[in-house]
Amino acid sequence: MSYSDRFKSRMNIRGNSAFERAMYAKQRQFDEYFNNTLNRELIEIDGVTEYATFQDQNQNNNKDMSDDKYMIVRKESVLKAGSYVKWRDSMWLVFMEENKTIPTHRQVKIKEMNHVIKWMIGDQICGDGDGYPAYVQNNTLYTLGVATSGQNIWAVNAKFGLYMQDSIEARQVKIGRRIFIGGNVYKILFKDYTARKGIISFLLEEDFINEDKDNVELEIADYYTAINQEEEPEVSGASKEVAITGTSTAKIGSLVKYEAKVSQDGKELQADITDWTIDDTEQVATIVEQSPTGITLRIENNFKKVGSVISIIGKTSDGVFGSESVRIISPY
């Protein structure tokens, strides 16, 4: 090899341009941090063992209701939104991946799973009998959580949000299925697997335990119905449709309005939304005003909320749902 070739080879290692040299230097800086930091630990991501580092979140950012973490991994990690992470004998779910401006690594937000959810598939328990870890959030604490009756009367109507890894079995769960959470039974009103890629989310409403159908000891609703091979009742579909209209992106610190459009067989009807719910795991939005025709939200003025996703869900008096997913963006 000539002197010229050796010189070019050495320069290629450092980078062929000022940009490449700066990127290589930044990558080496991250690698040095990642290999020597005290918060690096060996974990499992979807069953694959690799190293990751963890950072605490400021508890003031999530109303002190959950111990969320930031997790950092190398660029080549198998991690994705919806991945299950086993760390310190606990299961966590990857909720959101940040888009790094300088892609030397990957950073995600994770939430600790707080329930194991079980349901019947035929006469077998899902998840090969073990169920699935899930993150459950009481939406009554964070958002509206009430239904309207007329214009001025309000009735308590507790709701839960349930989140788990998107899977074939999870997608087979039907609207109307009943699930145990914390010793109580809740009915699935709504499900979505498009707002958060890799995650399937459900909106649940409290129901009654029926010991003729439900196995209270195993906490599996409709257990005896499945064992006896009775047909699961279908939720009646209606031609009535609800569309929630408004911006699909909302800037932090902004006031945003959404309207409900109700139609049946192609004809527009008077909007009759009796129940508004905000699927908001990051507590980004505050309800300012609501009515049978629309809702107004205030988005928190906090740059750490950029990239979060919320879903606005409206239900009519006869139980027809509509939703709109909104991504939180920077004001600049």
Side-chain angles (χ1 to χ4, degrees):
M1 181 183 292
S2 67
Y3 173 81
S4 176
D5 291 337
R6 288 197 299 271
F7 176 78
K8 289 180 180 179
S9 179
R10 287 197 300 270
M11 291 302 296
N12 287 339
I13 294 174
R14 293 188 175 186
N16 290 320
S17 65
F19 176 82
E20 282 191 1
R21 288 191 291 274
M23 277 297 300
Y24 289 166
K26 197 70 175 178
Q27 185 67 61
R28 288 193 296 270
Q29 184 181 11
F30 168 77
D31 292 341
E32 183 177 358
Y33 151 78
F34 191 81
N35 292 330
N36 296 288
T37 184
L38 294 176
N39 57 357
R40 187 177 83 147
E41 298 188 36
L42 197 62
I43 63 167
E44 287 185 11
I45 302 175
D46 292 333
V48 178
T49 301
E50 60 179 80
Y51 281 100
T53 69
F54 295 86
Q55 297 176 354
D56 296 321
Q57 284 195 51
N58 184 341
Q59 292 300 296
N60 291 330
N61 290 334
N62 61 10
K63 309 295 188 293
D64 297 325
M65 297 305 296
S66 62
D67 185 23
D68 301 345
K69 304 292 183 187
Y70 290 113
M71 187 175 77
I72 296 172
V73 295
R74 294 188 181 279
K75 292 186 297 184
E76 60 270 18
S77 171
V78 300
L79 175 144
K80 60 185 181 297
S83 286
Y84 282 132
V85 176
K86 186 176 181 181
W87 173 46
R88 295 183 180 177
D89 297 323
S90 295
M91 293 296 294
W92 300 69
L93 182 66
V94 176
F95 257 74
M96 183 186 75
E97 181 170 358
E98 294 184 355
N99 293 317
K100 304 303 293 182
T101 53
I102 303 177
T104 56
H105 60 283
R106 299 167 65 189
Q107 180 168 308
V108 299
K109 185 177 291 186
I110 60 175
K111 290 180 177 287
E112 186 175 10
M113 303 294 91
N114 52 14
H115 280 79
V116 173
I117 306 299
K118 296 180 180 180
W119 65 88
M120 301 299 292
I121 299 178
D123 60 354
Q124 302 295 317
I125 302 173
C126 68
D128 293 328
D130 297 325
Y132 288 98
Y135 176 73
V136 177
Q137 172 178 285
N138 188 339
N139 281 348
T140 309
L141 296 177
Y142 301 123
T143 57
L144 182 57
V146 295
T148 59
S149 177
Q151 293 294 325
N152 302 307
I153 302 174
W154 300 87
V156 175
N157 189 16
K159 290 184 173 58
F160 273 82
L162 185 153
Y163 311 84
M164 65 178 68
Q165 186 181 74
D166 191 1
S167 67
I168 294 175
E169 288 194 351
R171 288 203 183 193
Q172 291 174 350
V173 176
K174 298 178 181 179
I175 304 297
R177 178 178 282 278
R178 300 159 63 250
I179 290 176
F180 267 92
I181 297 175
N184 296 318
V185 172
Y186 295 82
K187 181 182 290 186
I188 295 176
L189 301 179
F190 180 83
K191 70 176 181 180
D192 178 75
Y193 44 81
T194 60
R196 298 175 178 85
K197 186 177 180 181
I199 295 176
I200 187 165
S201 61
F202 301 92
L203 176 64
L204 313 176
E205 188 172 63
E206 192 167 4
D207 198 27
F208 298 99
I209 294 176
N210 185 338
E211 294 188 359
D212 292 333
K213 299 193 301 181
D214 306 331
N215 190 320
V216 179
E217 183 178 359
L218 293 178
E219 292 200 338
I220 303 176
D222 297 313
Y223 175 86
Y224 299 114
T225 301
I227 292 297
N228 295 327
Q229 297 184 341
E230 298 176 20
E231 287 224 8
E232 188 179 336
E234 291 281 348
V235 176
S236 59
S239 59
K240 190 174 185 179
E241 295 181 348
V242 176
I244 309 299
T245 61
T247 178
S248 60
T249 58
K251 297 178 180 179
I252 58 173
S254 65
L255 192 70
V256 289
K257 297 181 180 181
Y258 294 87
E259 293 185 349
K261 303 290 186 182
V262 181
S263 62
Q264 188 165 17
D265 298 326
K267 296 180 180 179
E268 187 170 336
L269 306 176
Q270 182 177 355
D272 62 339
I273 302 298
T274 59
D275 194 351
W276 289 102
T277 304
I278 311 302
D279 178 3
D280 180 11
T281 59
E282 304 302 322
Q283 292 77 65
V284 175
T286 301
I287 296 173
V288 175
E289 186 180 0
Q290 60 201 307
S291 72
T293 60
I295 188 169
T296 302
L297 305 177
R298 171 72 68 183
I299 307 301
E300 183 178 344
N301 192 11
N302 184 341
F303 276 93
K304 290 186 177 180
K305 305 298 186 181
V306 172
S308 300
V309 175
I310 65 174
S311 293
I312 302 165
I313 305 167
K315 184 180 76 169
T316 64
S317 56
D318 51 356
V320 181
F321 284 85
S323 70
E324 174 68 21
S325 296
V326 183
R327 183 170 296 277
I328 308 305
I329 62 173
S330 168
Y332 307 115

